[in-house]
Amino acid sequence: MCGIVGYVGQKQASEVLIEGLKRLEYRGYDSAGLCVCHGGRLNLVKTAGRISALEEKIAGDDTIVAGTIGIAHTRWATHGEPNEANAHPHLDGPGKIALVHNGIIENYVTLKKFLQDKGYEFRSDTDTEVLVHLVSEFSRGGEVALETAVQLALAEVSGTYGLVVISADEPDKLVAARRGSPLILGVGTDEYVIASDASAILEHTANVIYLNDNEMAVVSRDGVRTMTIDNVPVSKEIQQIEWSLEQIAKGNYEHFMLKEIMEQPQSASQAITGRLDLREMRVVLGGLTEISRELAKVRRIIITSCGTAWHAGLVGEFIFEELAKIPTEVEYASEFRYRNPIIEEGTCVIVISQSGETADTLAAVREAKEKGALTLGFVNVVGSTIARETDAGIYLHAGPEIGVASTKAFTSQIIVEILTALMLGRGRFMSQSTMEQYIRELDAIPEKITKILEQSDRIKEIARTYSERENWLFLGRGYHYPIALEGALKLKEISYIHAEGLPAAEMKHGPIALINDGMPVVFVAPRCETYEKVLGNIEEVRARKGKIICVATEGDTDIEKLADHVIYVPDAPVPLQPLLTVVPLQLLAYHAAVIRGCSVDKPRNLAKSVTVE
Ligand code: G6P
């Protein structure tokens, strides 16, 4: 979703800003813009479409090239279509103040009316434009310091923001503020980079300050001052970004998504490393030790999340009920908040998020805390808002995930659920021998994933056979129903093929009407207690001339008699099988998208991190 970069230092600002925007491209956007201050003037360039178009516009523009301070933005349209006028930065009337903003100004209609009555003219359909005019109003033509004008403006605003402001009257200063939308300040040598995502900062420095909600920073060439938006000074710690520049590069892969699928043996290992004690045969979760007493009292679990992380939650429902014997429900985060959820004593709310910034998921955390639940975060991005706001948590340690379609984070989310369930289960009823069996099996997972990845070329051929079919079904039962959902989601997201995921038996209650000659139907059918039933469902599809693609357990030659294609995965205990069965479906979606010529890493309309509700 929208991205922010701001720079002040010795370098040519436009280069740093464009480079930063490119690092944020993966988040999803549909227009871009940049503003550099030079010679007492703000120089603005905006465009609908890609950052490359912005670069072309800038090329040879001396007023832009000379500046060493500026702000830039990639916009993912909410209020107003993705055209040049709606792109950020937005300028005030006299062209003295420019602003970039992520988030939504909820009372913008009232503020717009107030400003229009005072004679302000609006040039865009965005909610953001009210902010720049408000700052302009409070700056009184430059008489009031920029940070004070920003504070006065923000006092009038309800909604969410991460924003950076620049003024031609104070050409060495950037003012940044945050409420509900992330902002990170990179502290380099003689330079500062402000960004909504650490990946835009890493090239310059790993030293960062994370702004909290209701905090702001005044950044000049001489240093940084941090305060609340009510002007109470706050001292902030400089922290280190854990990820390296190499990790956020594509390497030899054609797409980030493929790189991330292929990285799963390592990301799975990283989720396990240090957490499986193979000598003592126990699970050690450092992030949960401080709350072990509260955990012992947990009687009910609610998992809440969005998108792929919600599918991980659905797998978690099976895992927690089977391994820890704790009743578990799963809620879309966007629904959880508004249904007045019942939280009793002993309710633990587990929040799953790759980015740690998804607006709905964060709102769910706050709702759960408000109602007194113990909150746990299973998050990938270290230092993200959800990681900081939950009572305790476990990092996924999957490394940066850049491809919009989530892959390696999903397998790591399931691993972290298994580890937590094993720890909770062992504290209740699970025998040490059962625990040891799971520990050994979990330890073997990375190698098993490697075996599946070796079949990528075969899976590509299956994808090629059906890549022109516009409707697919994905079916599974029990633990494999969420995997069917995830397989369908992956295909939809990146190849724009319509796909539906269903519990296999539900097919008979409607979707079977869709099956016609040659329709691809993917069955997630490893050996488990529902295997025989799934064979029956396969027969039903065969009888209607659907084409059957099965994900099955190695050695299951019987299924070959029924299926048109079989992709084999190694055997594993049922709760661990989703870690394996999802991998061929990720590859199937990836190859189908590439064959169809789709933009795999930046699918249309999607955002990597959805920071608006
Ligand atoms: C977006 C992404 C999905 C992701 C979902 C939840 O929709 O495109 O890939 O699963 O958000 O994101 P989170 O960062 O909270 O896991």
Side-chain angles (χ1 to χ4, degrees), residues 306-309 352-356 358 361 404-406 413 493 607-608 610:
C306 302
T308 288
I352 306 178
S353 176
Q354 188 287 128
S355 64
T358 302
T361 313
V404 165
S406 185
Q413 285 158 355
E493 282 179 308
K608 179 70 184 157
V610 179

Side-chain angles (χ1 to χ4, degrees), residues 173-189:
K173 188 192 275 180
L174 295 176
V175 175
R178 159 187 179 153
R179 185 199 280 161
S181 193
L183 268 191
I184 306 169
L185 170 62
V187 182
T189 313

Side-chain angles (χ1 to χ4, degrees), residues 221-234:
R221 293 183 198 278
D222 313 324
V224 186
R225 282 187 297 124
T226 45
M227 63 214 71
T228 66
I229 54 170
D230 307 323
N231 204 25
V232 179
V234 274

Side-chain angles (χ1 to χ4, degrees), residues 502-521:
L502 292 161
E506 277 298 304
M507 176 186 63
K508 289 191 288 294
H509 301 289
I512 198 165
L514 297 171
I515 295 171
N516 57 14
D517 196 355
M519 179 179 184
V521 182

